[in-house]
Amino acid sequence: MHDTSLEPPPSAPPPLPLVHRGRVTMLHGIAPDRTLLSVLREELGLTAVKEGCASGDCGACTVAVADVTTDGALRWRALNSCLRLAHSVAGCAVWTSADLVHDPLIAKTTDLHPVQEAMRACHASQCGFCTPGFVMSLFVAYQRRAGEGLGHEEAVRVLSGNLCRCTGYRPILDAARAMDDYPRAAMDEARLRDLVAQADAARGDAPQGSTYLAPRTLADALTARARWPQAMVVAGGTDAALALTKRQARWDRVLDVSRCDALTAVSVGSDDTGPYLRIGAAVTLEQAWSVLAERWPRLGPFADRFAGEPIRHGGTLGGNVVNGSPIGDSMPVLIALGARVVLQRLDADAGLQTRTVLIEDFYLGYRRTALRGDELLTAVDVPLREPLPEVAAYKIAKRHEDDISTVSLAAAWRLDPDGAVQHVRIGVGGVAATPVRATAAEAQLLHRPWGRDALQRAAAALQASVQPLDDGRASAGYRRAMLGALLMRLAQTTEPGVPGVIASTAVGGLESVAPIAVDVELQGEPS
């Protein structure tokens, strides 16, 4: 292994080129741990973008970012600039709400952009502090939908990462629907693509020893990881940046893997265990949950409750997994699906070394994982053995969206031709220092007819087998009760003939559930 004790101190940070207001702006001397919010406000004087919570909850810091993906598509994202490292958007185009008025790339017939006109006409701003963030979330939706207005449900989803304490939201939702009432504001996308290409070329490759490393190949990423194991590894940075904004941490060197092509790809492969879906570690949460929901549509409503839209646009599946939070939303679902994490490193003698670990075995303790100091988590593999299992996932949180789970549960099951459970895996979060596979509950279901009785026994086994967290978010008793209720929700959303519940629409919602008895007699293995 490389001897880091002989390394010179980090060199200067690389230049930071941005596309802003129709030209490439080059910034120099930006420290690797500066947030995009601080650079926009302090270096560029763009004070329309605000800092509210500094944790990605309120959305006052939301900005629009556009780049070109490896397949040539122009990608629009709403991002929390308080959590985004400034260097992570090098080579991208960035807009704040003030830029919608002044950007020469936007052709308008009025002074204001249609999003701003709709907000003004619908009286959707009161104190105004949160308004720039709402405008930028709607602007990204406007660009993605070619200027169309939003329906109510889509507007709620698009604005799930923005909070307002004044208007009561109705005028803001009215503005989202009214955006297309005004003459279209057209973006000069051809010119934008040219400018993004210029900015990306100006970014180039950081020199060896740079304080901000953003490798484009897996080999370069693993080489950097081996050489600088103490560097902070980031992809979306939506959790890592909290150390900067909340704990005043400082990072001397950053390894950003979000530009690594191999880590941003989604593919289907096969090995001796069968076919699998490989999701690169730096694939955004939005894309990762989209490809999972394509195969398991029941996951769609659950995915919409994963944080807010700016977090889904910026955060990554690999980051959520390696973060190791016991209340992360991805892990129970991935446990239920039997997913494996792919861990890779470069050995000085043996070259590339790869190992895979079942995700429930990846966690060793509270925010401790099996990842070695010279390894990177490069992908998550989800089995695709036919027939695919049925999957359902639920969470309970203090808010319907834009919040982490108090407790969550996911289940995957397959029935044999006689209706007995042939395969079942259950993952739960919020019940221990790590995400947990609920093997005791699985044992009460396996080889038995699927139905309310079996699920009742499984719920009782689950409640008896866990020692939930007891903290300010919820008591252990509440979490235990809700775990049983979430498992019993499967009876209401999958068992035919249950009054008042439609299986195709109830999954992932907040419908009521039957009371759970914890004194049900558990059964051993069926004879």
Side-chain angles (χ1 to χ4, degrees):
M1 185 177 295
H2 190 82
D3 186 357
T4 57
S5 65
L6 302 179
E7 288 293 335
S11 65
L16 172 52
L18 299 173
V19 177
H20 184 243
R21 295 190 183 180
R23 64 187 183 91
V24 176
T25 297
M26 187 72 74
L27 301 175
H28 297 276
I30 304 299
D33 53 2
R34 289 282 302 281
T35 65
L36 178 58
L37 174 65
S38 69
V39 169
L40 291 176
R41 289 181 61 87
E42 296 169 20
E43 269 72 14
L44 296 180
L46 299 170
T47 54
V49 59
K50 309 297 185 186
E51 180 177 292
C53 64
S55 59
D57 287 327
C58 73
C61 68
T62 305
V63 297
V65 174
D67 61 355
V68 178
T69 62
T70 54
D71 60 1
L74 190 61
R75 177 174 63 167
W76 291 91
R77 292 184 291 169
L79 298 178
N80 295 117
S81 61
C82 73
L83 298 180
R84 197 76 186 182
L85 294 180
H87 281 281
S88 73
V89 298
C92 300
V94 180
W95 291 265
T96 71
S97 60
D99 298 325
L100 303 191
V101 175
H102 301 291
D103 192 339
L105 297 180
I106 303 175
K108 309 185 300 295
T109 59
T110 60
D111 289 339
L112 296 179
H113 189 277
V115 171
Q116 296 166 313
E117 289 281 12
M119 291 283 285
R120 179 187 59 80
C122 294
H123 306 285
S125 178
Q126 195 160 327
C127 81
F129 190 85
C130 68
T131 303
F134 277 97
V135 166
M136 298 319 295
S137 290
L138 290 175
F139 170 69
V140 169
Y142 188 91
Q143 292 303 128
R144 286 185 166 200
R145 293 174 56 89
E148 295 181 8
L150 304 178
H152 177 81
E153 289 187 4
E154 187 167 9
V156 170
R157 178 183 57 77
V158 164
L159 298 174
S160 60
N162 298 88
L163 300 181
C164 176
R165 297 304 186 213
C166 300
T167 66
Y169 295 103
R170 183 194 57 77
I172 301 173
L173 295 173
D174 290 344
R177 291 191 290 268
M179 293 189 300
D180 58 356
D181 290 348
Y182 302 90
R184 172 82 188 280
M187 177 70 66
D188 187 345
E189 292 194 356
R191 178 59 179 155
L192 176 59
R193 286 174 178 273
D194 288 343
L195 289 168
V196 168
Q198 293 175 32
D200 191 55
R203 181 175 73 91
D205 294 319
Q208 283 195 347
S210 173
T211 58
Y212 198 94
L213 302 165
R216 298 176 188 262
T217 68
L218 178 59
D220 287 345
L222 293 174
T223 298
R225 178 64 164 159
R227 186 171 185 181
W228 294 291
Q230 302 306 316
M232 174 56 68
V233 180
V234 300
T238 53
D239 187 81
L242 294 175
L244 304 176
T245 62
K246 295 299 185 182
R247 299 191 292 275
Q248 288 72 54
R250 296 302 306 271
W251 301 334
D252 293 330
R253 180 178 277 118
V254 172
L255 173 57
D256 181 352
V257 298
S258 66
R259 304 296 182 98
C260 183
D261 291 345
L263 272 62
T264 58
V266 176
S267 61
V268 174
S270 182
D271 58 17
D272 55 0
T273 67
Y276 58 81
L277 173 69
R278 173 159 291 182
I279 303 175
V283 170
T284 65
L285 291 166
E286 178 187 37
Q287 183 184 2
W289 283 99
S290 176
V291 298
L292 289 173
E294 285 178 7
R295 290 165 173 82
W296 293 283
R298 288 173 178 269
L299 292 178
F302 182 83
D304 286 343
R305 295 193 62 198
F306 193 117
E309 185 144 292
I311 296 293
R312 295 194 294 267
H313 283 186
T316 64
L317 183 65
N320 192 241
V321 168
V322 82
N323 176 44
S325 170
I327 50 178
D329 284 346
S330 296
M331 286 73 86
V333 173
L334 295 174
I335 288 173
L337 290 173
R340 301 166 296 177
V341 293
V342 181
L343 311 177
Q344 294 185 296
R345 65 186 179 93
L346 278 183
D347 184 272
D349 299 319
L352 178 64
Q353 301 293 297
T354 301
R355 62 189 180 111
T356 60
V357 179
L358 276 171
I359 191 164
E360 62 261 34
D361 297 331
F362 181 59
Y363 301 105
L364 306 179
Y366 181 72
R367 291 185 181 266
R368 291 194 301 112
T369 71
L371 188 71
R372 290 177 39 151
D374 58 350
E375 285 181 322
L376 289 176
L377 189 155
T378 57
V380 176
D381 288 350
V382 179
L384 293 178
R385 289 184 292 274
E386 295 287 350
L388 293 178
E390 294 290 329
V391 177
Y394 312 101
K395 67 182 284 186
I396 290 176
K398 292 183 179 295
R399 294 196 299 262
H400 187 262
E401 63 274 306
D402 196 22
D403 200 5
I404 55 179
S405 297
T406 300
V407 64
S408 61
L409 179 145
W413 68 96
R414 187 185 300 114
L415 306 183
D416 66 20
D418 296 324
V421 178
Q422 184 182 66
H423 163 87
V424 62
R425 289 177 64 96
I426 300 172
V428 293
V431 299
T434 67
V436 173
R437 182 180 175 189
T439 54
E442 294 171 4
Q444 293 297 317
L445 293 171
L446 195 61
H447 307 310
R448 295 192 173 93
W450 180 268
R452 183 178 294 277
D453 290 344
L455 287 165
Q456 188 88 11
R457 288 191 296 271
L462 175 59
Q463 291 174 313
S465 65
V466 297
Q467 297 295 323
L469 303 175
D470 195 337
D471 56 23
R473 188 168 291 273
S475 68
Y478 176 81
R479 283 190 165 105
R480 183 177 288 108
M482 290 303 99
L483 273 179
L486 291 180
L487 190 56
M488 283 306 298
R489 190 174 290 181
L490 285 172
Q492 292 186 311
T493 58
T494 63
E495 186 181 12
V498 179
V501 176
I502 302 174
S504 62
T505 60
V507 174
L510 296 175
E511 68 278 4
S512 62
V513 294
I516 306 301
V518 297
D519 57 351
V520 176
E521 181 179 354
L522 304 184
Q523 297 183 4
E525 289 295 321
S527 57

